[in-house]
Each structure stands twice: as structure tokens, then as C-alpha cells.
Amino acid sequence: MVEIALKENKISSQGLFERAKKILPGGVNSPVRAFDPYPFFVERAEGSKLFDVDGRVYIDYCNAYGAMLFGHAYPEVIEPVKAQLERGTLYGTPTEQEVEFAELIQKVYPCMEMMRFVSTGTEATMHAIRVARGYTGRKKIVKFEGCFHGSHDNVLVKAGSGAATFGIPNSLGIPEDTTKNTIVLPYNDVVAVREVLEREGNDIAAVIVEPVLANVGLILPKPDYLVNLRKLTSQYGIVLIFDEIITGFRLALGGAQEYFNVKPDMATLGKVLGGGFPVAAFGGKAEIMQNISPVGKVYQAGTFSGNPVSAVAGYTVLNVLKQKKNEIYPQLEKVAQELSKALSDLSKDYKLPVQIYNIASLHQIFFTNQSVTDYACAKSSNIKMFNAYFQELLKQGVFIPPSQFETCFISTAHLPEDIKYTIEAFDKALAAASKEQQ
């Protein structure tokens, strides 16, 4: 599966990485892309596969960290985008495409009565918090350990994703005054939330949470956890923000809000939303969103926001999902369950200490004896075992996110033969992991 005919030219991942290190910090444009001895450099992608410059092919379960729900180069998205490219890529003016896109989002995400488009998930969460503060007139926010809400200053405190991977819960370059209004609590602990709100609820503008943690491995909410967050924030007039950059359109057409039947005041969307193109959104109740300039006093702007190419791509993605949701979501969940069961069965054969979680089209394995319900539990995992597991999968031509603290994603492009091959690769990878047991 891994090896195909080697390229005749002399471009290689190792060579490109050496060049990249001279001009890009760490040789990458995002820390989650780095792994030893060097990352492979992709030449092209199609369906469930990545093809690198070394002439190797990989079954892809990273899927651009969840963005590619339909796999790579999905024709139903690519064709309308090509047509839009011929009409122009960026106008700097309003377009019909962005209006139709927003209207479609509103139909499947009722909490988003009004919204703004941006280009990244980081922008979406940053502006959502700013609007919540402007609306409430309060300064403090609550976030949860292991939740990753982008790389802006207010939320890069005990965050997941790259910050968890590299053991940097707080980034240098962030003034202490910036984070003094950020309260960090353990996820899945309702008592901790209640105690803080009883003490400081009248000073808290927003509670922001990933409904399902997917940036510190995969951690599911306990029963009624999200319901209790909704009740408590409502009691104190606090804006509840669901960060659905990952869960949006992954768990269901209406994301975590539909899946768990909990309606927040605001939500942030990204990844799947753009079908591989840069677009994100934040939105919520009209009375909150009306505080944004030019009708309100909360400023937000962006040159590429709502650009027609991303709007066409996103509209197409959502339209396909809306038409085929009863087919797509059950099938994705079935595959995720099949892979999780295979991991569980094989782990028992090797007598490995593991916890395996899956929901909808997401799954992940933790190398630990204890149930993983929060950030502290996740950090107790055996990283050496995971690295051995990852490296062997890579050797076998199966690419998963290169960190224990990320999540694997299924796409509609994964074929039965991909799944069969992946399970065979799991066997070899778990055997490699078993050698790292201490």
C-alpha cells in the first residue's frame, strides 16, 4: 500500500524539510504538522488518499484535521468552485453567494439567527468572545482544560491541540493582563462550574466550550453535562458559546446542538463548513449579533471574509449534506464503530492498556488504564506507545494525526477495502506499541 513507483526527480520530503527549516519555524506552518524524523510533503490528494513527493500513498484519517468530510478533491465541490474562479476570486463587496450560504446555515443551525463569515476558526472564536463581552458589558470568560479555541491570546491557556502535544499550556508572548480574565476549569465537572458561577457569575461574559473535546484526543461529555452548562449560564445571563469548529456538520447536519439537543446562545463553525476552502463563521441570537459594527459598537472586519470562492464551496457542501444526511451520517458512524471495535479487539489480544472512544465519524485510542473524561486523564496516556503506534501505521501507509492529543476522522471517500487494509495495519501498529510497555 505504501510504496509506488519512485519519482524520477530528486524532490523528497527530507530535502524539502531541510529547506523548510531555513525559512519556516520548525519547518512547518502549524505545529501539529511536525513529527519525527520529518513530516512527509504531499504532492496531491484524491478521495481517501494522500500522495507524497517521495512516491508513497497513504490512507488518510487526518482529513485536514476533520475538514474533509467528503475526502479530497470531491468533484461535487470542485466543479462549482472552478466555475466561480472564472468569475473572479475576491471582490471586496457583498455577493449573492454569501447571503445564500448564510441562509442555508441558519436553516440547519437555529441558534445562528445572525452570523458573520471569517477565514479561520481562530478568528471565529476570538470575535465570538469579543461580541459576548460587548453584549454583556462583562470582562471574564470561562474555558475548559484541553479545549482548543484557536491561537489567540484569551484562550491559549491550558489548551489542546499543539499546545497539549508540546507540553506548553501557556504561550510565551501573552501578557499576564490578557489572561487574568480567563477562568480555566476541568471539563465534565459541573460542580466546578456551579461554584465559579455562584462566586463570579455576574462578572462572566461567556462560557466557551467544545461540546466534544477533539483537540486533546477524543473526550465525550458526560450525560447531561451540556444540559447543565445551558441551565447554569442561563441562570446568570452568561453567553454560552459552543465552539463547533470540529463538531459542526461532523456529528450531525446540525452539529453537536442537534446531536445533544442543547441550544447555545452562540456558535462557531469551520473545517467541514468550507469543504477544504478557508471559511469559518460565528453567530448567534440576533440581539447579540446586532452589537457588531456597522449597526453596533463591537468592531469586526476581514478582507477575505465571505469571499465568493469559499462561499460557493461551503454552500455546496451543506447542500449535499442536507440532501443526503440520512445516508451519509449513519454510514460514517458505522465505519467509525467498525474501526473502534477492531482496535478494541486487537488491543485485548496484545493485552494493552487502552481506552477507545468514538462518536459519529470521529475516533481515537488512548494508551492508558483509566477512563479519559478530562484533560488530566488524557495527559496520563503513554506517549511512547502512541508514537510507536503512529510510526508503524505510517510505515504501513495509514496516516492518522501524529499526536495522541488529536482525533481521527472518517470521510465518505473511505472504501471497504480501505477499512480492511487499515484494520490489518492496526494489528501491526498495536504490536509495535506493545513493545513500548514499561
Side-chain angles (χ1 to χ4, degrees):
M1 172 63 72
V2 182
E3 298 288 347
I4 61 175
L6 293 176
K7 297 167 64 69
E8 292 184 4
N9 61 38
K10 295 183 179 180
I11 295 176
S12 68
S13 291
Q14 184 175 8
L16 286 172
F17 186 60
E18 292 302 316
R19 289 166 56 188
K21 286 192 295 183
K22 297 176 182 178
I23 53 174
L24 305 173
V28 292
N29 273 303
S30 180
V32 295
R33 301 174 191 174
F35 57 85
D36 293 332
Y38 52 83
F40 62 86
F41 282 62
V42 174
E43 181 179 69
R44 65 184 181 90
E46 183 178 351
S48 64
K49 308 295 195 303
L50 296 174
F51 301 83
D52 73 12
V53 297
D54 306 295
R56 297 181 172 88
V57 58
Y58 304 88
I59 301 173
D60 184 17
Y61 291 99
C62 180
N63 278 294
Y65 292 89
M68 312 308 292
L69 185 68
F70 298 126
H72 299 283
Y74 184 58
E76 289 192 50
V77 172
I78 296 298
E79 291 308 315
V81 166
K82 285 181 178 178
Q84 176 57 47
L85 291 175
E86 295 179 355
R87 295 192 293 268
T89 59
L90 187 65
Y91 307 140
T93 64
T95 66
E96 180 183 8
Q97 291 95 328
E98 64 188 309
V99 176
E100 290 184 336
F101 188 20
E103 288 173 340
L104 185 52
I105 293 172
Q106 200 281 325
K107 288 178 182 177
V108 298
Y109 262 83
C111 87
M112 297 182 74
E113 297 172 3
M114 301 188 77
M115 69 198 74
R116 273 280 174 89
F117 290 114
V118 290
S119 298
T120 68
T122 291
E123 288 178 85
T125 57
M126 178 177 68
H127 292 310
I129 290 169
R130 183 183 301 165
V131 173
R133 282 173 163 158
Y135 170 68
T136 61
R138 304 171 182 176
K139 295 180 180 179
K140 295 183 179 181
I141 64 168
V142 171
K143 76 172 291 288
F144 299 92
E145 293 178 345
C147 284
F148 181 70
H149 304 297
S151 53
H152 54 98
D153 291 3
N154 285 296
V155 294
L156 208 56
V157 184
K158 288 197 174 180
S161 195
T165 301
F166 294 102
I168 308 172
N170 300 283
S171 172
L172 296 177
I174 299 177
E176 290 182 6
D177 285 348
T178 302
T179 57
K180 70 180 181 180
N181 289 313
T182 301
I183 301 168
V184 184
L185 299 177
Y187 181 75
N188 266 331
D189 188 340
V190 174
V191 173
V193 177
R194 183 179 292 112
E195 289 176 350
V196 165
L197 266 54
E198 286 175 352
R199 186 173 65 249
E200 303 185 60
N202 293 328
D203 297 320
I204 295 171
V207 170
I208 185 168
V209 64
E210 286 185 89
V212 174
L213 271 63
N215 284 290
V216 64
L218 181 63
I219 302 178
L220 309 182
K222 292 180 178 178
D224 293 332
Y225 176 69
L226 298 176
V227 171
N228 283 316
L229 284 185
R230 175 68 286 179
K231 290 178 180 177
L232 287 167
T233 51
S234 295
Q235 182 180 343
Y236 289 91
I238 296 168
V239 177
L240 177 60
I241 305 171
F242 273 12
D243 180 355
E244 294 220 49
I245 301 299
I246 287 180
T247 58
F249 313 107
R250 268 277 165 194
L251 300 192
L253 181 60
Q257 299 169 47
E258 176 184 329
Y259 193 95
F260 295 107
N261 193 28
V262 178
K263 185 179 179 180
D265 300 301
M266 297 187 72
T268 59
L269 303 172
K271 294 192 184 293
V272 172
L273 180 68
F277 289 83
V279 64
F282 68 98
K285 293 180 178 178
E287 64 183 273
I288 297 175
M289 295 299 290
Q290 288 281 14
N291 287 274
I292 298 175
S293 179
V295 293
K297 295 183 179 180
V298 176
Y299 193 75
Q300 181 273 328
T303 300
F304 289 88
S305 298
N307 74 83
V309 176
S310 292
V312 165
Y315 179 86
T316 304
V317 166
L318 299 198
N319 207 34
V320 172
L321 286 174
K322 188 177 179 182
Q323 293 174 10
K324 300 181 179 180
K325 65 177 183 178
N326 293 331
E327 170 190 341
I328 289 172
Y329 290 106
Q331 178 59 27
L332 288 171
E333 186 168 26
K334 180 182 176 182
V335 173
Q337 290 174 347
E338 182 181 356
L339 290 175
S340 294
K341 185 179 186 304
L343 279 172
S344 178
D345 292 344
L346 289 166
S347 295
K348 290 175 183 176
D349 291 343
Y350 288 103
K351 296 180 173 58
L352 292 173
V354 301
Q355 305 295 322
I356 298 159
Y357 298 96
N358 66 273
I359 183 171
S361 57
L362 299 79
H363 73 276
Q364 182 59 301
I365 183 172
F366 292 92
F367 290 91
T368 177
N369 276 315
Q370 68 180 92
S371 296
V372 179
T373 58
D374 59 23
Y375 178 79
C377 296
K379 293 292 284 184
S380 72
S381 299
N382 189 314
I383 304 303
K384 287 185 177 180
M385 291 177 71
F386 181 87
N387 288 340
Y389 169 79
F390 165 76
Q391 290 289 349
E392 184 60 31
L393 283 179
L394 198 66
K395 180 180 176 181
Q396 296 299 322
V398 175
F399 178 55
I400 63 171
S403 167
Q404 172 69 87
F405 307 114
E406 297 291 347
T407 299
C408 300
F409 299 92
I410 314 296
S411 78
T412 60
H414 284 102
L415 302 173
E417 52 263 38
D418 294 328
I419 305 307
K420 182 177 183 295
Y421 182 88
T422 299
I423 291 172
E424 293 171 356
F426 280 166
D427 193 356
K428 297 181 178 68
L430 290 169
S434 68
K435 297 176 182 177
E436 295 296 329
Q437 289 195 77
Q438 297 178 352

